[in-house]
Amino acid sequence: MKVEIDGVTLHLAHPDELPVRWVGQEELMRQLLAAWMVVTDLDIPMSPRLIGKPGVGKTTLAYAAARRMGRDVFIMQATLDTRPEDLLVTPVIEGAGRLRYVASPLVSAMLLGGIAILDEGNRMSEKSWASLAPLLDNRRYVESVVAGVKIRAHKNFRLVTTMNDDSSTFELPEYIHSRLQPQILIDFPEKDEELRILKENLPFAEDRILQYVTDFLEQAHAADERYSVRDGINIARYAIKLKSLATDREHERKALELAIEQTLGEEALRYARRNRIVTT
Ligand SMILES: Nc1ncnc2c1ncn2[C@@H]1O[C@H](COP(=O)(O)OP(=O)(O)OP(=O)(O)O)[C@@H](O)[C@H]1O
Ligand SMILES: [Mg+2]
């Protein structure tokens, strides 16, 4: 798809289609949708930040909320070397000395009235964030130096960024922080929700395996480990595969323990059911 702005043709990205559904923690969904809504014509939407440990469901929540609004979703992965033009418009040589201007997923969302997820925004430098400053306040536009155009956001455009609370992050300056509000903190889900999330992601798994993994995660959360739902999904998925190729009778427990060890390392086994010291 193409859009023309001030005589410059921009080639747009395609929206992302993910088969995900958000399970549990409805309050977080409500907060994100509230940040995006406008209560009157005079109001403007906010651009929230989803913060939490790796694998707790930040990207999933952002995507699921965007789909709940019925909008197209454009995911943009931020990295250490994301440059301003990567966020906005990049020139691509089209042959015979001609340039084609390609809009980023974020700019495509701006033009089509979609929702942009700027994933892992904490990995991106201040310089790149600075190019988004006017977009994140009531001006709602960006300026592409490369294409020489000012691009205004459609009124339905929304943005959310996700950030890990680990150390591989840039400290963002205050003027950026203050534009990425509110901050929505995602914590580990409750035990019954965690089980439902595992079921949602592994609908073919036996209950016993999912119970075991949920129990493992609960122990690890209680000990303040960083093991996440994603780790749980990986453990269960791998254990199911191992079990299906097993030869001996003790296959299930062995499969689960091996899956824990090969996903998180040997030290994680201390939270596995059999190895726990039960105190009364
Ligand atoms: N509430 C939930 N409902 C459904 N699935 C979930 C939920 N929370 C987590 N998941 C599942 O857990 C996995 C990890 O989630 P996700 O990728 O969203 O985490 P993340 O916080 O974005 O991680 P990272 O920081 O590594 O990007 C996904 O497979 C996702 O489907
Ligand atoms: Mg993510």
Side-chain angles (χ1 to χ4, degrees):
M1 213 168 125
K2 291 184 276 189
V3 168
E4 201 181 296
I5 301 172
D6 300 338
V8 177
T9 303
L10 298 179
H11 294 258
L12 305 188
H14 291 288
D16 290 282
E17 302 277 349
L18 302 180
V20 299
R21 215 166 62 88
W22 179 250
V23 176
Q25 304 204 75
E26 260 313 302
E27 174 59 15
L28 297 174
M29 175 66 81
R30 192 180 73 91
Q31 291 170 5
L32 177 50
L33 293 175
W36 276 340
M37 77 174 297
V38 288
V39 291
T40 78
D41 286 349
L42 301 172
D43 194 15
I44 55 167
M46 301 174 83
S47 302
R49 227 181 310 174
L50 303 182
I51 300 174
K53 296 190 170 68
V56 288
K58 297 180 295 296
T59 309
T60 304
L61 174 61
Y63 188 85
R67 293 318 305 242
R68 223 180 262 195
M69 305 242 307
R71 304 275 171 73
D72 279 339
V73 192
F74 296 79
I75 302 179
M76 176 121 212
Q77 192 65 43
T79 65
L80 292 177
D81 45 30
T82 297
R83 300 161 304 167
E85 61 257 47
D86 300 325
L87 283 176
L88 305 178
V89 176
T90 39
V92 175
I93 293 168
E94 211 176 25
R98 279 172 52 83
L99 286 180
R100 169 197 274 248
Y101 291 107
V102 179
S104 69
L106 187 145
V107 165
S108 302
M110 284 175 65
L111 290 169
L112 296 171
I115 295 184
I117 302 175
L118 192 44
D119 217 7
E120 318 232 357
N122 54 298
R123 298 191 191 285
M124 201 166 82
S125 69
E126 178 187 345
K127 185 167 177 216
S128 295
W129 273 111
S131 68
L132 299 183
L135 177 65
L136 299 172
D137 56 35
N138 52 13
R139 293 174 282 172
R140 287 177 63 83
Y141 67 75
V142 293
E143 274 178 292
S144 164
V145 178
V146 167
V149 289
K150 183 186 264 191
I151 303 164
R152 293 181 188 285
H154 187 286
K155 75 172 181 11
N156 287 343
F157 169 72
R158 299 290 185 275
L159 182 139
V160 60
T161 184
T162 73
M163 297 193 175
N164 279 335
D165 63 0
D166 64 16
S167 54
S168 58
T169 60
F170 281 103
E171 232 357 279
L172 293 177
E174 188 49 37
Y175 76 98
I176 296 298
H177 267 288
S178 64
R179 284 171 164 82
L180 295 172
Q181 301 292 3
Q183 304 178 54
I184 299 173
L185 297 175
I186 309 189
D187 207 345
F188 294 127
E190 298 294 325
K191 187 173 185 184
D192 61 320
E193 284 177 337
E194 210 145 46
L195 180 61
R196 284 203 290 132
I197 295 170
L198 289 177
K199 278 201 176 120
E200 168 71 24
N201 284 273
L202 301 165
F204 48 85
E206 286 169 84
D207 246 13
R208 216 176 36 248
I209 289 189
L210 299 185
Q211 290 284 355
Y212 178 100
V213 174
T214 310
D215 188 51
F216 164 82
L217 285 174
E218 191 196 22
Q219 297 298 320
H221 297 334
D224 226 17
E225 294 282 1
R226 293 173 71 88
Y227 309 156
S228 67
V229 187
R230 179 187 292 129
D231 297 321
I233 294 170
N234 284 334
I235 290 167
R237 191 188 297 283
Y238 185 40
I240 293 163
K241 294 181 196 298
L242 284 171
K243 191 182 157 184
S244 77
L245 291 184
T247 47
D248 65 16
R249 285 180 49 234
E250 275 199 293
H251 51 251
E252 186 167 296
R253 204 198 62 226
K254 272 194 184 164
L256 281 160
E257 290 182 0
L258 186 61
I260 290 174
E261 192 181 332
Q262 289 187 290
T263 304
L264 295 168
E266 205 183 326
E267 66 280 7
L269 281 172
R270 78 182 80 155
Y271 305 108
R273 212 172 268 165
R274 188 183 54 134
N275 302 321
R276 286 203 312 263
I277 299 161
V278 181
T279 50
T280 46

